[in-house]
Amino acid sequence: QVQLVESGGGSVQAGGSLTLSCIGSGYSIRNNCLGWFRQAPGKEREGVASIDAGSENAFYGDTVKGRFTISRDNSKDGLYLRMNNLKPEDTGMYYCAATLGYFCLAEFRSTDFRFWGQGTQVTVSS
């Protein structure tokens, strides 16, 4: 069973930066597409970014393109999300997730992701 643990969330002012981390355990995730999702109160879960197992391709949601960068370190079973120029609308719970496949799909379908972390809260104040 794969376990995913996120960290790095916090409270920042608009324009600030944060880096989220997600470490897998229990089973290696180095051969899995990984992604970040977020959910704000009262809103649906939204795909933020995803990355192929070998980092061949990365996909980003329209609202974060040019500001967020997803990366991974397979030697550490780690997934990361660098978030720059944060906006209040970026506030939410951020989840990392893993699929059973190697390549990610361009569409962010949460149903494609089999394993989920518990989330880390990001709050951006104006």
Side-chain angles (χ1 to χ4, degrees):
Q1 182 73 8
V2 173
Q3 294 181 329
L4 302 172
V5 179
E6 304 95 336
S7 62
S11 297
V12 296
Q13 290 190 326
S17 298
L18 283 174
T19 297
L20 306 183
S21 299
C22 173
I23 302 298
S25 64
Y27 188 81
S28 176
I29 54 174
R30 63 192 61 187
N31 293 314
N32 301 79
C33 158
L34 302 176
W36 288 99
F37 288 77
R38 68 185 181 188
Q39 189 167 19
K43 295 188 176 181
E44 293 186 355
R45 189 167 293 189
E46 174 189 16
V48 176
S50 62
I51 187 167
D52 292 342
S55 300
E56 291 88 347
N57 296 292
F59 302 96
Y60 295 91
D62 290 339
T63 58
V64 306
K65 283 179 181 177
R67 300 187 298 123
F68 291 11
T69 302
I70 190 171
S71 62
R72 62 190 295 163
D73 184 344
N74 286 340
S75 69
K76 300 178 180 178
D77 279 339
L79 176 69
Y80 310 94
L81 186 68
R82 176 65 177 177
M83 306 184 294
N84 294 326
N85 190 22
L86 283 161
K87 303 176 180 180
E89 51 264 41
D90 294 319
T91 294
M93 187 69 77
Y94 283 69
Y95 301 90
C96 71
T99 72
L100 293 176
Y102 184 97
F103 291 107
C104 301
L105 298 175
E107 304 85 11
F108 288 99
R109 301 185 306 204
S110 59
T111 52
D112 291 336
F113 289 79
R114 176 72 176 272
F115 305 104
W116 293 82
Q118 294 299 306
T120 185
Q121 177 68 35
V122 172
T123 303
V124 185
S125 58
S126 58

